[in-house]
Structures are given as structure tokens and as C-alpha cells.
Amino acid sequence: MLDYIMERTNQYIDSMPKKERKKYGQFFTSKETARFMAALFTIPENMSQIHILDAGAGSGILSCAILERLEQVESIQTIKLTCYESDANILELLKENLQLCQANLKKEIQIRMISDNYITSQYLDFNGMLGSSVSPLKYDLIIGNPPYMKLSKDAPEAAAMPKICYGAPNLYFIFAAMSVFNLKNNGEMVYIIPRSWTSGAYFEHFRQYFLMEGKLEHIHLFVSRNKVFDKENVLQETMIIKVKKTSQTPKEVTITSSQSNKDFADLTSLIVPYSLVVSKNDGYVYLVTDKEEVSVLERLHRFRKTLPDIGLKMKTGLVVDFRNREILYDHAQEGAIPLFYPQHIKQGKVQFPIQKKYEYIITEKAGFMQDNRNYLFVKRFTAKEERRRLQCGVYLAGEYPQYRKISTQNKINFIDGLVTGMSEYLVYGLYVIFNSTLYDEYYRILNGSTQVNSTEINAMPIPDLESIQEMGKELMKNKDMSEQNCNKILEEYCG
């Protein structure tokens, strides 16, 4: 039955231009992924009737998979399935596929299809505006592959859920928040979503709500980014999560991983303390896949300080170069100051000039200039295939005494003192940290993207100020800027 529904879905994908499907953020789940997701649910014993929700049903692949699973549960006699789908193009296919399930399965299956907007149609309920006399339906199980689509900050869906939206949100996490709201107490939801929500300020409000209302029980990670959705060219890093609606925090969470959606038979599995995965300190979700990564978290979480705690902060470079070409120059001019790019970071040091285009700027705009003082520069972007995510270089003001001010391009981050500047010892000590294998591995666990985010760096645990300065003294003494030497120095302070 599921094979037939997949065949019909693939025909729909072939007939419907991707441009049209992107209007709804549609990416269709594979048969293997659907069955894996359905298998994650824990079905209560002796339950005779069960309410299920498929929040963005599409062609009904996930609905079919969960119905197929429940067909094997002897105690269940009646299945009440609600499907939300607002795309008129696919409604008829969804209806036919659900009717096919009804005809081929032995259970009593009651189907309700809702073509309203899943989010805005529940606006009053979510915001507590219905009153106590109305009791909307809650569900035992919710399964979903939500639409992936960026919204404007004033989109109706964002306005409907203000407590979880920050800036311009994405529809996928709005769906996830509404689904945990729609669960009965102790109900479960299984979603396939991007991993981007697990860290950063952008998703903070969502994480606070989502992880307060529900608790993660299972996380599945895909090693390959491009083999998750059949017939879809999707490079977004994706994960499957199982969440239980409860206020009781579990002791552990299961994390599995597979090469792609075809390799679920060859899972790697890890049981990790919940407190290590869901951090109370920064509210991030750490996605570890093996014992070595668990060890990385355990070692670094011994540190209780962050950069702001010791009077420092990572900031993003000041100038978007392509928007300000008229004030940029290839060579030194009267009144020009250096504009530093990622390319100026070489072998752990900042080198200037390097005969690069537009490496000088002439400006009176205060927001484009910063004091010429000591910094640690860190590249903001790296290529996916590069071995290191954290790539940094020491910038010393004393090497460029002719400049009172300098500038930085916005593809570079820099660490600066919140009030005063940094000593050379401190800059070199920060270099030891950011050039170490341990911190690079930590950041990769924290963030799956190729962007180094200043919000996340500022929340990372680090040694105390005195220890960092001592590390810097040792590095300056032996002058070996290699990753191996940084590892050796750091090892003395984190064991």
C-alpha cells in the first residue's frame, strides 16, 4: 500500500514544477523515512481508540505509514486520523490515498481532512483566547514533515504565535510548536525537521517553549545531507525528533544516526544523559553521535565562564564590502585605513597588505571603524569540506602603529574587550582555545552549518581569564602556532 502511495506521489512530483511546490515549502518524505518515523512511537498498552494528527499531510505518506504501524497493534480497534493540508493542488491525491488506506486496512479508520491553514486556524486556541467552555481536540500521536519556508516577521503565521517567533521565522518551527501544543499530556510527536533550531538566538523563543512543553526522547541524525528526501535536491541538514509532552525531564535521550534514508537497518545508537544534550546554561541542543563527542562536551562543560563573563565578546565585522564599493580601494590612499578580510588570516597570524582588491577603506562613518587594538580574528564562513570550522588569526595593533582606526569586512568575526582592549597574552591565549581540536569539535557538535555564529561563540564555556593568559604566555614563548601545540597547551587546563 505504501509503495503504491509513493508511486503516485512521485508522479505528482514529476508533474508539479518545483517552483510551484516551493510556494508551500513542500518536500516529500521517502517510504523508508516514513516507516522509521512511525516505528518511533510508543503505543500505550490496552488502548482501543487512538487520535492521530498529520499536521502537513501532503500526499498522505506519513499518515499511511502510521496507519500501517497501528494495523499491527491488536488492542487498537478505532483510529481517528486528522490531516491538515492547505495546498489545493494535492488535496485530491491525499483524499484518494487515505481512502485507499481505509479500504485495505482492517481497523476502523475515521478520517477528517482540514484544508484550513494549520497555524492561523488555531490562533485563538494557542493564545488562550477561546475561554474555558471550549475544549479543542488534542491528539495521542502527531507525525509531521512540516513545510520548510521562510516567512516575513509580519506573516499571519508569525503573528499567530508571537511567543515563539523572533525576527523573520521559518514555517517549520512554527508547525513544530503548534504540534506540541496540540498533543495530549504524555502524547508523542515525531517530526522530520532541519537541525538549525538547536542553537543560536534566532530560535531561542521557540526552544524555550518547545523544550518546556515537551521533552526530547529520540533524535535521529543523517550523515548525508543530500539523501534524505527522495527525488528532492535538498542540502539542508535534517533530523528526526521524537518528543513527549510532559513536564518530567527524562534521565537520557537516545541519539541514532544513519548514512541516509535507505540505511536505517545499519543504525548507530547512543544513549546520552539528557542534561548533556539539552543544556540548561544556554538552552542549546547538542547533537552528539559517538562517545568521543560525549567526552568533548563533558570536558568543556567543566568550565563555568563565557567570553562575556571575563569581559570579552565576539562581534561580527563592520562592513558589507559589495554594498560600499565607492569607498573601497585596492591601494593605500590619503586617509585610507585597512579593511581586513578572512583572506588576511594566514598560519595563525593576520597579514596585511596582501595585494587583495578593496583592502583599504576611506570613511568618516563611525560604524565602519574600530579602534586599532589587539583582536583575535575568526573566519565567519568556511567550506563544508574544510577540516576545521574554527579558523583564526592573531591581530596585534603594535604591528600597524601608523593607523589609529581599522575596519573589518562582515565575513570575519573578531573578539574584543567589552570595555578595554586585550593584552597580547590574552589574544594568544584565545588563539590556543580557538585553534585547538577540542573547541573545533565542540563547535561542530553545536552547529551543523558552515557559519561561525557570534551568539554561539559568546555562550561557549571557556577557562577563566588568568588561565587563558597563562596559555598565551606559553604560546608566545615557544612560538609554535600549530593545532598540535595548541592542543598540548590546552590539555594542561582541561585534562
Side-chain angles (χ1 to χ4, degrees), residues 4 7 102 108 130 157 181 291 298 300 307 312 438 461:
Y4 181 64
E7 185 180 324
Q102 277 182 312
E108 178 190 351
L130 284 180
E157 292 86 356
F181 173 74
K291 291 180 179 178
E298 289 174 338
L300 290 195
L307 287 174
L312 307 177
L438 189 63

Side-chain angles (χ1 to χ4, degrees), residues 192-352:
I192 181 167
I193 56 175
R195 67 168 280 175
S196 50
W197 67 276
T198 58
S199 64
Y202 184 75
F203 299 95
E204 182 179 1
H205 293 178
F206 164 68
R207 281 195 309 274
Q208 287 174 349
Y209 173 81
F210 192 62
L211 297 172
M212 178 181 67
E213 293 292 313
K215 300 296 180 284
L216 289 165
E217 290 195 337
H218 192 121
I219 298 170
H220 181 79
L221 305 173
F222 296 96
V223 176
S224 174
R225 291 194 302 163
N226 62 352
K227 296 180 180 177
V228 178
F229 296 100
D230 280 357
K231 297 180 72 67
E232 304 277 20
N233 184 22
V234 179
L235 289 179
Q236 176 73 44
E237 292 225 29
T238 310
M239 63 195 296
I240 295 169
I241 55 172
K242 175 188 175 183
V243 175
K244 184 174 184 177
K245 187 165 186 176
T246 177
S247 59
Q248 187 172 349
T249 301
K251 291 182 179 179
E252 299 169 327
V253 58
T254 300
I255 301 181
T256 54
S257 59
S258 63
Q259 286 296 320
S260 70
N261 64 20
K262 296 287 196 297
D263 299 327
F264 289 110
D266 300 319
L267 293 180
T268 61
S269 183
L270 195 64
I271 307 296
V272 187
Y274 193 88
S275 59
L276 202 64
V277 175
V278 180
S279 170
K280 285 185 178 180
N281 294 333
D282 53 31
Y284 293 166
V285 176
Y286 291 84
L287 303 175
V288 291
T289 59
D290 55 41
K291 291 180 179 178
E292 287 72 25
E293 291 181 345
V294 170
S295 175
V296 169
L297 294 188
E298 289 174 338
R299 293 172 72 188
L300 290 195
H301 284 169
R302 295 174 195 163
F303 297 133
R304 298 301 177 196
K305 301 292 186 181
T306 64
L307 287 174
D309 289 338
I310 62 171
L312 307 177
K313 190 174 185 180
M314 176 176 276
K315 303 173 185 178
T316 300
L318 309 178
V319 176
V320 180
D321 56 330
F322 67 85
R323 292 180 184 163
N324 296 280
R325 290 283 192 243
E326 71 281 0
I327 58 173
L328 304 186
Y329 298 87
D330 297 347
H331 306 288
Q333 310 277 328
E334 181 73 26
I337 60 174
L339 175 60
F340 290 99
Y341 293 78
Q343 293 92 325
H344 288 107
I345 298 174
K346 296 178 182 293
Q347 286 84 48
K349 297 285 188 73
V350 174
Q351 298 180 19
F352 183 90

